[in-house]
Amino acid sequence: AIVDKYRRQPTYLVQVLREVQDALDHIPPAAMAYVASALGVPIGQVEAVTAFYAFFHDRPMGRYRVLISDNITDRMLGSMALVEHMLNRLKLKLGEVSADGVVSVGLTSCTGMCDQGPAMLVNNRTITRLTPRRIDEICELIRAQVPLDDWPSFYFKVDDNIRRADMLLAAQWSPGEALRAATSLGPQGMIHELRLSNLRGRGGAGFTTAVKWEAARNAPGHGPNATRYVVCNADEGEPGTFKDRVLLQSYAGHVFEGMTIAGYAIGASRGFLYLRGEYTYLLQALEKHLADLRKMNLLGRSVCGVEGFDFDIEIHVGAGAYVCGEETALIESLEGKPGRPRIRPPFPVTHGYLGQPTVVNNVETLCKVLEIATHGGARYAGLGTKQSTGTKILSVSGDVDRPGLYEYPFGVRIAQVLEDCGARHPQAVQVSGAAGMCLSEREFGRRIAFEDVPTAGSFMVFGAQRDLFEVARNFTHFFAHESCGFCTPCRVGTTLVSNLMDKIAAGHGTQYEMNELNRLAGVIKGSAHCGLGTASCNAIVDTVQKFRPAYEKRLKAVDFEPAFDLDAALAKAREVTGRDDADAHLAQGMEQH
Ligand code: SF4
């Protein structure tokens, strides 16, 4: 039934495996073989996809699969003590499945609930605001094997926490209003307004949206079935970011209408919303929203009554791979493959989904399109700064009194945001997630804008009591975990870096490790294949430069300290051989040195 639901199309492989796992709790070899044959793909591809995505398992996990969010903001809210508490209650070790097969507990990367953490996923359903008491209750429900649908509904409540609304979050739109404005402008007219607006992508890179749309529109397409596609990148995985979650939860109409306008402007008939697996709880409501839009003729054939404009949207759900936020990795995933970034050029605007011209835009970017279609690009460009027009939504979390979403015109100073959110004695702000910039107090006068501090939206505040070394260490673990393994500098380098940070944390760090961190950061940045790798050491470089005492207080005075006890490791060999050369003891050697 699952393969038939997806018309046995190989591009739906990730979706099919997701549903197989939901049905069977894991993806056994027999199911892989069946799916391979039904979709007509090599078994190796099914195995590779199963192995690639963190949420897929080829062996039985617990019937209740608990994954606790392990972002630094969760840790600041006491998540590790809660993990310990839960493991004790369930008499389990981390990553272990209980003997009766009922439950497994593990960690996962940021689940996008930093404003209401600590958070966890249970069978892909999000639970926020964990406390020891709530953990106790959850353990009882699991022990009694109460179905998730019968758990208290308030466990699953996810708040928007909109603290400051501006052009986007405060706007009221009736469905189809902006789309009708766009169709009256015509495709070229819409792109012209977009050019006037100077709208830039809100996913982090800041590429000019009009240039992207125009390039896709002008690209010829390939083969007898030449066509074009629109993709909304809702794989919001950057630690500390959760703005897209709110837009999808409460502004889904904006997102879908922005996609439809993009489809109209570039001449596409099909759009995909790629929803991160951590936001599966939104899927049902989003599907219903799409069905409502079809009933209103805002999707489907002759959309809005425009003859020849056929456009529809479908949702693909990710399966726990941060790298799929990179647009070519996302397209690979949409095609039913492991989400590994492609070699560019060619770019998606000419060779994207199935080799056809494809526009990939961030959720927030597409929402901005409504304002531009309705009121024109010039008005939009009147807000913000010269190179950064309009507004930016920030996801604020950490040591603040009022975590949540803050929408500002571009150009707002860091200090202003800190004041508005009630930051508590801030010593640092990590802007744009683990891959972004760590700003010290001396930089709080800087501005959020592409010409100064660019950001996809994450704004994590660290109070005076926080240890910036531990913040950077958490990020190194994140990157080592999320590296897709395609290229050696990132696959090996991120692990070496996180090992070095662990060694320093364990009290074995010396100047040698500091030099190695610096050297590896340069190697990875200069030779990794995609942005995940090149940005993976940004936090180390920033914190070493700006918060050096946090590292130095952990360093040993010696030039090198092994991470393990060499004498203990050699003791057995010395005993067996009866040889014990006094000069071969490393500690003595170091003292002589
Ligand atoms: Fe994969 Fe890392 Fe290389 Fe990017 S840099 S392709 S994430 S291994």
Side-chain angles (χ1 to χ4, degrees), residues 323 340-341 482-488 490-491 494 528-534:
V323 71
R340 294 207 172 90
E482 295 295 341
S483 169
C484 81
F486 172 76
C487 64
T488 309
C490 172
R491 183 184 66 248
T494 52
H529 172 58
C530 83
L532 184 152
T534 55

PDB file of all heavy atoms in Angstrom, residues 323 340-341 482-488 490-491 494 528-534, ligand 1:
ATOM      1  N   VAL A 323      22.602  18.368   6.626  1.00  0.00           N
ATOM      2  CA  VAL A 323      23.222  18.774   5.357  1.00  0.00           C
ATOM      3  C   VAL A 323      22.180  18.996   4.262  1.00  0.00           C
ATOM      4  O   VAL A 323      22.431  19.695   3.280  1.00  0.00           O
ATOM      5  CB  VAL A 323      24.303  17.745   4.926  1.00  0.00           C
ATOM      6  CG1 VAL A 323      23.668  16.439   4.484  1.00  0.00           C
ATOM      7  CG2 VAL A 323      25.209  18.310   3.837  1.00  0.00           C
ATOM      8  N   ARG A 340      23.582  14.220  -0.355  1.00  0.00           N
ATOM      9  CA  ARG A 340      24.962  14.713  -0.440  1.00  0.00           C
ATOM     10  C   ARG A 340      25.019  15.874  -1.421  1.00  0.00           C
ATOM     11  O   ARG A 340      24.474  15.803  -2.525  1.00  0.00           O
ATOM     12  CB  ARG A 340      25.903  13.606  -0.905  1.00  0.00           C
ATOM     13  CG  ARG A 340      26.028  12.489   0.104  1.00  0.00           C
ATOM     14  CD  ARG A 340      27.352  11.752   0.010  1.00  0.00           C
ATOM     15  NE  ARG A 340      27.444  10.828   1.133  1.00  0.00           N
ATOM     16  CZ  ARG A 340      26.996   9.563   1.086  1.00  0.00           C
ATOM     17  NH1 ARG A 340      26.471   9.092  -0.015  1.00  0.00           N
ATOM     18  NH2 ARG A 340      27.093   8.783   2.140  1.00  0.00           N
ATOM     19  N   PRO A 341      25.701  16.960  -1.040  1.00  0.00           N
ATOM     20  CA  PRO A 341      25.765  18.128  -1.928  1.00  0.00           C
ATOM     21  C   PRO A 341      26.415  17.782  -3.269  1.00  0.00           C
ATOM     22  O   PRO A 341      27.369  17.005  -3.337  1.00  0.00           O
ATOM     23  CB  PRO A 341      26.649  19.105  -1.147  1.00  0.00           C
ATOM     24  CG  PRO A 341      26.531  18.677   0.279  1.00  0.00           C
ATOM     25  CD  PRO A 341      26.388  17.184   0.240  1.00  0.00           C
ATOM     26  N   GLU A 482      27.070  15.638  11.875  1.00  0.00           N
ATOM     27  CA  GLU A 482      26.260  15.954  10.702  1.00  0.00           C
ATOM     28  C   GLU A 482      27.035  15.902   9.385  1.00  0.00           C
ATOM     29  O   GLU A 482      26.431  16.000   8.317  1.00  0.00           O
ATOM     30  CB  GLU A 482      25.625  17.336  10.864  1.00  0.00           C
ATOM     31  CG  GLU A 482      24.620  17.437  11.995  1.00  0.00           C
ATOM     32  CD  GLU A 482      23.375  16.567  11.783  1.00  0.00           C
ATOM     33  OE1 GLU A 482      23.125  16.167  10.630  1.00  0.00           O
ATOM     34  OE2 GLU A 482      22.674  16.266  12.766  1.00  0.00           O
ATOM     35  N   SER A 483      28.367  15.763   9.436  1.00  0.00           N
ATOM     36  CA  SER A 483      29.127  15.660   8.189  1.00  0.00           C
ATOM     37  C   SER A 483      28.578  14.502   7.354  1.00  0.00           C
ATOM     38  O   SER A 483      28.357  13.408   7.873  1.00  0.00           O
ATOM     39  CB  SER A 483      30.603  15.397   8.513  1.00  0.00           C
ATOM     40  OG  SER A 483      31.290  15.048   7.328  1.00  0.00           O
ATOM     41  N   CYS A 484      28.356  14.752   6.068  1.00  0.00           N
ATOM     42  CA  CYS A 484      27.738  13.693   5.249  1.00  0.00           C
ATOM     43  C   CYS A 484      28.750  12.647   4.807  1.00  0.00           C
ATOM     44  O   CYS A 484      28.380  11.628   4.250  1.00  0.00           O
ATOM     45  CB  CYS A 484      27.036  14.302   4.034  1.00  0.00           C
ATOM     46  SG  CYS A 484      28.132  14.686   2.655  1.00  0.00           S
ATOM     47  N   GLY A 485      30.045  12.922   5.024  1.00  0.00           N
ATOM     48  CA  GLY A 485      31.067  11.928   4.737  1.00  0.00           C
ATOM     49  C   GLY A 485      31.560  11.909   3.305  1.00  0.00           C
ATOM     50  O   GLY A 485      32.396  11.087   2.939  1.00  0.00           O
ATOM     51  N   PHE A 486      31.095  12.825   2.481  1.00  0.00           N
ATOM     52  CA  PHE A 486      31.464  12.821   1.058  1.00  0.00           C
ATOM     53  C   PHE A 486      32.928  13.184   0.846  1.00  0.00           C
ATOM     54  O   PHE A 486      33.613  12.585   0.035  1.00  0.00           O
ATOM     55  CB  PHE A 486      30.538  13.786   0.302  1.00  0.00           C
ATOM     56  CG  PHE A 486      30.914  14.034  -1.125  1.00  0.00           C
ATOM     57  CD1 PHE A 486      30.646  13.073  -2.086  1.00  0.00           C
ATOM     58  CD2 PHE A 486      31.527  15.218  -1.515  1.00  0.00           C
ATOM     59  CE1 PHE A 486      30.985  13.297  -3.419  1.00  0.00           C
ATOM     60  CE2 PHE A 486      31.873  15.445  -2.828  1.00  0.00           C
ATOM     61  CZ  PHE A 486      31.600  14.486  -3.792  1.00  0.00           C
ATOM     62  N   CYS A 487      33.398  14.214   1.555  1.00  0.00           N
ATOM     63  CA  CYS A 487      34.788  14.640   1.308  1.00  0.00           C
ATOM     64  C   CYS A 487      35.640  14.475   2.569  1.00  0.00           C
ATOM     65  O   CYS A 487      35.173  14.684   3.686  1.00  0.00           O
ATOM     66  CB  CYS A 487      34.836  16.065   0.771  1.00  0.00           C
ATOM     67  SG  CYS A 487      34.232  17.322   1.896  1.00  0.00           S
ATOM     68  N   THR A 488      36.904  14.111   2.345  1.00  0.00           N
ATOM     69  CA  THR A 488      37.789  13.754   3.458  1.00  0.00           C
ATOM     70  C   THR A 488      38.041  14.910   4.433  1.00  0.00           C
ATOM     71  O   THR A 488      37.996  14.704   5.648  1.00  0.00           O
ATOM     72  CB  THR A 488      39.124  13.217   2.912  1.00  0.00           C
ATOM     73  OG1 THR A 488      38.821  12.204   1.958  1.00  0.00           O
ATOM     74  CG2 THR A 488      39.983  12.641   4.012  1.00  0.00           C
ATOM     75  N   CYS A 490      36.282  17.251   5.546  1.00  0.00           N
ATOM     76  CA  CYS A 490      35.180  17.433   6.493  1.00  0.00           C
ATOM     77  C   CYS A 490      34.924  16.146   7.270  1.00  0.00           C
ATOM     78  O   CYS A 490      34.806  16.173   8.500  1.00  0.00           O
ATOM     79  CB  CYS A 490      33.937  17.889   5.732  1.00  0.00           C
ATOM     80  SG  CYS A 490      32.442  17.925   6.724  1.00  0.00           S
ATOM     81  N   ARG A 491      34.864  15.015   6.563  1.00  0.00           N
ATOM     82  CA  ARG A 491      34.554  13.751   7.244  1.00  0.00           C
ATOM     83  C   ARG A 491      35.564  13.461   8.350  1.00  0.00           C
ATOM     84  O   ARG A 491      35.197  13.179   9.491  1.00  0.00           O
ATOM     85  CB  ARG A 491      34.543  12.599   6.229  1.00  0.00           C
ATOM     86  CG  ARG A 491      34.157  11.256   6.833  1.00  0.00           C
ATOM     87  CD  ARG A 491      34.265  10.123   5.819  1.00  0.00           C
ATOM     88  NE  ARG A 491      35.615   9.870   5.382  1.00  0.00           N
ATOM     89  CZ  ARG A 491      36.071  10.100   4.152  1.00  0.00           C
ATOM     90  NH1 ARG A 491      35.282  10.577   3.222  1.00  0.00           N
ATOM     91  NH2 ARG A 491      37.336   9.855   3.840  1.00  0.00           N
ATOM     92  N   THR A 494      36.371  17.133  10.861  1.00  0.00           N
ATOM     93  CA  THR A 494      35.440  17.522  11.930  1.00  0.00           C
ATOM     94  C   THR A 494      35.555  16.561  13.125  1.00  0.00           C
ATOM     95  O   THR A 494      35.408  16.975  14.276  1.00  0.00           O
ATOM     96  CB  THR A 494      33.981  17.559  11.424  1.00  0.00           C
ATOM     97  OG1 THR A 494      33.678  16.326  10.779  1.00  0.00           O
ATOM     98  CG2 THR A 494      33.762  18.712  10.454  1.00  0.00           C
ATOM     99  N   ALA A 528      37.056  21.855   2.126  1.00  0.00           N
ATOM    100  CA  ALA A 528      35.795  21.090   2.217  1.00  0.00           C
ATOM    101  C   ALA A 528      34.923  21.392   1.003  1.00  0.00           C
ATOM    102  O   ALA A 528      35.008  22.476   0.414  1.00  0.00           O
ATOM    103  CB  ALA A 528      35.061  21.421   3.508  1.00  0.00           C
ATOM    104  N   HIS A 529      34.081  20.451   0.682  1.00  0.00           N
ATOM    105  CA  HIS A 529      33.284  20.539  -0.553  1.00  0.00           C
ATOM    106  C   HIS A 529      32.096  21.487  -0.430  1.00  0.00           C
ATOM    107  O   HIS A 529      31.697  22.131  -1.393  1.00  0.00           O
ATOM    108  CB  HIS A 529      32.804  19.124  -0.916  1.00  0.00           C
ATOM    109  CG  HIS A 529      31.826  19.062  -2.036  1.00  0.00           C
ATOM    110  ND1 HIS A 529      32.107  19.554  -3.295  1.00  0.00           N
ATOM    111  CD2 HIS A 529      30.555  18.586  -2.089  1.00  0.00           C
ATOM    112  CE1 HIS A 529      31.052  19.356  -4.080  1.00  0.00           C
ATOM    113  NE2 HIS A 529      30.095  18.786  -3.365  1.00  0.00           N
ATOM    114  N   CYS A 530      31.468  21.577   0.753  1.00  0.00           N
ATOM    115  CA  CYS A 530      30.283  22.437   0.852  1.00  0.00           C
ATOM    116  C   CYS A 530      30.354  23.309   2.104  1.00  0.00           C
ATOM    117  O   CYS A 530      31.275  23.208   2.908  1.00  0.00           O
ATOM    118  CB  CYS A 530      29.003  21.589   0.853  1.00  0.00           C
ATOM    119  SG  CYS A 530      28.553  20.912   2.457  1.00  0.00           S
ATOM    120  N   GLY A 531      29.344  24.142   2.248  1.00  0.00           N
ATOM    121  CA  GLY A 531      29.321  25.123   3.330  1.00  0.00           C
ATOM    122  C   GLY A 531      29.347  24.513   4.711  1.00  0.00           C
ATOM    123  O   GLY A 531      29.847  25.132   5.659  1.00  0.00           O
ATOM    124  N   LEU A 532      28.803  23.298   4.876  1.00  0.00           N
ATOM    125  CA  LEU A 532      28.831  22.676   6.196  1.00  0.00           C
ATOM    126  C   LEU A 532      30.277  22.537   6.662  1.00  0.00           C
ATOM    127  O   LEU A 532      30.616  22.896   7.781  1.00  0.00           O
ATOM    128  CB  LEU A 532      28.141  21.310   6.165  1.00  0.00           C
ATOM    129  CG  LEU A 532      28.016  20.573   7.513  1.00  0.00           C
ATOM    130  CD1 LEU A 532      26.803  19.659   7.523  1.00  0.00           C
ATOM    131  CD2 LEU A 532      29.258  19.773   7.887  1.00  0.00           C
ATOM    132  N   GLY A 533      31.112  22.024   5.783  1.00  0.00           N
ATOM    133  CA  GLY A 533      32.512  21.836   6.156  1.00  0.00           C
ATOM    134  C   GLY A 533      33.237  23.155   6.316  1.00  0.00           C
ATOM    135  O   GLY A 533      33.923  23.388   7.326  1.00  0.00           O
ATOM    136  N   THR A 534      33.078  24.049   5.349  1.00  0.00           N
ATOM    137  CA  THR A 534      33.868  25.288   5.393  1.00  0.00           C
ATOM    138  C   THR A 534      33.534  26.140   6.614  1.00  0.00           C
ATOM    139  O   THR A 534      34.379  26.863   7.117  1.00  0.00           O
ATOM    140  CB  THR A 534      33.664  26.125   4.110  1.00  0.00           C
ATOM    141  OG1 THR A 534      32.275  26.354   3.931  1.00  0.00           O
ATOM    142  CG2 THR A 534      34.218  25.426   2.880  1.00  0.00           C
TER     143      THR A 534
HETATM  144 FE1  SF4 B   1      29.642  16.387   3.129  1.00  0.00          FE
HETATM  145 FE2  SF4 B   1      31.093  17.853   4.834  1.00  0.00          FE
HETATM  146 FE3  SF4 B   1      32.000  17.462   2.410  1.00  0.00          FE
HETATM  147 FE4  SF4 B   1      29.837  19.028   2.811  1.00  0.00          FE
HETATM  148  S1  SF4 B   1      31.918  19.453   3.483  1.00  0.00           S
HETATM  149  S2  SF4 B   1      30.110  17.476   1.211  1.00  0.00           S
HETATM  150  S3  SF4 B   1      28.897  17.937   4.548  1.00  0.00           S
HETATM  151  S4  SF4 B   1      31.648  15.840   3.962  1.00  0.00           S
END
